[in-house]
Amino acid sequence: KQEVTQIPAALSVPEGENLVLNCSFTDSAIYNLQWFRQDPGKGLTSLLLIQSSQREQTSGRLNASLDKSSGRSTLYIAASQPGDSATYLCAVNVLPGTYKYIFGTGTRLKVLA
Amino acid sequence: AAGVIQSPRHLIKEKRETATLKCYPIPRHDTVYWYQQGPGQDPQFLISFYEKMQSDKGSIPDRFSAQQFSDYHSELNMSSLELGDSALYFCASSPQRAEQFFGPGTRLTVL
């Protein structure tokens, strides 16, 4: 059974720091991995999607990497800003099957001004 | 670009009442997924449909049922509501089981 874990569960950093969020999954048979951002009580905003054949994806200050063999992904946020404060979730498609997402436990990020 | 539409956005019901949540996928997306996110929890998969047929079922109570219609929109029907059903319900759609695009969610409060 696929399990997805995110470390740390919470993180508080001063503005301007570069930071790394970690996502681990137990079964490497995934189709893709997606990172989301969620503000309190709000919906899921897709940040980056990494296909299983890819190693990394970049969008602005965000860079996500994927190492399927070790069951890990990292989300790198450069020059953090207070507006980055949110919960970050990773999710993996389950293979074989219907490609439903299994979500990680999330990392609550707070960037202090 | 068109996004996934969910209605209503907010819903308040009493215990033992019935609720219907609707999801309108992005045009030409053939797969719909439903997820439930309880307070302080990560989203949990409920059920999915591919080409109007149920394709997978997760931790969905027997009190819940869902279907996908000929125009690909989907409805989640919830009966005999319980306090524990209070949650944010997300619908997602994808083209041929690829990247999932999430709707804004329906917040259900059961009193």
Side-chain angles (χ1 to χ4, degrees):
Chain A
K1 179 190 171 188
Q2 179 73 273
E3 293 183 0
V4 184
T5 306
Q6 291 184 243
I7 295 173
L11 185 61
S12 185
V13 300
E15 181 178 8
E17 272 205 9
N18 301 325
L19 50 99
V20 175
L21 308 182
N22 297 290
C23 172
S24 300
F25 45 96
T26 54
D27 188 340
S28 62
I30 65 170
Y31 187 68
N32 61 42
L33 184 145
Q34 196 163 352
W35 281 94
F36 295 89
R37 168 191 172 134
Q38 186 173 34
D39 293 290
K42 303 295 185 182
L44 299 169
T45 300
S46 178
L47 297 174
L48 289 165
L49 171 77
I50 309 178
Q51 305 272 4
S52 62
S53 58
Q54 297 174 320
R55 294 296 297 242
E56 66 177 320
Q57 282 287 335
T58 299
S59 176
R61 294 183 294 110
L62 305 178
N63 175 277
S65 66
L66 174 64
D67 184 343
K68 263 184 54 176
S69 59
S70 65
R72 289 189 296 189
S73 175
T74 59
L75 178 67
Y76 175 83
I77 303 177
S80 58
Q81 303 170 357
D84 295 330
S85 299
T87 294
Y88 290 80
L89 293 158
C90 66
V92 297
N93 288 99
V94 177
L95 280 180
T98 56
Y99 303 90
K100 66 186 178 189
Y101 273 168
I102 304 296
F103 281 84
T105 45
T107 293
R108 287 190 309 280
L109 172 67
K110 186 168 187 178
V111 180
L112 306 171
Chain B
V4 177
I5 297 171
Q6 290 188 246
S7 68
R9 295 291 307 277
H10 302 272
L11 192 57
I12 299 175
K13 291 286 185 178
E14 300 278 344
K15 278 172 48 177
R16 292 180 288 277
E17 284 191 325
T18 297
T20 297
L21 279 53
K22 297 184 179 182
C23 170
Y24 297 87
I26 293 172
R28 291 181 295 283
H29 282 195
D30 54 17
T31 307
V32 167
Y33 303 83
W34 286 96
Y35 296 86
Q36 177 192 56
Q37 185 178 30
Q41 300 179 358
D42 51 277
Q44 297 290 317
F45 170 74
L46 291 178
I47 195 167
S48 62
F49 294 88
Y50 172 62
E51 283 292 346
K52 293 160 280 185
M53 300 286 290
Q54 181 181 308
S55 56
D56 199 359
K57 202 170 180 180
S59 49
I60 182 170
D62 292 339
R63 299 177 289 107
F64 294 7
S65 65
Q67 57 181 323
Q68 187 177 30
F69 294 85
S70 57
D71 64 351
Y72 290 93
H73 94 272
S74 178
E75 294 184 4
L76 178 65
N77 298 293
M78 311 158 70
S79 62
S80 303
L81 288 169
E82 302 174 356
L83 296 178
D85 296 329
S86 295
L88 199 50
Y89 290 84
F90 291 108
C91 169
S93 72
S94 70
Q96 300 175 349
R97 301 174 170 180
E99 178 181 3
Q100 292 184 28
F101 295 81
F102 282 76
T106 293
R107 179 167 296 285
L108 172 66
T109 302
V110 181
L111 302 176

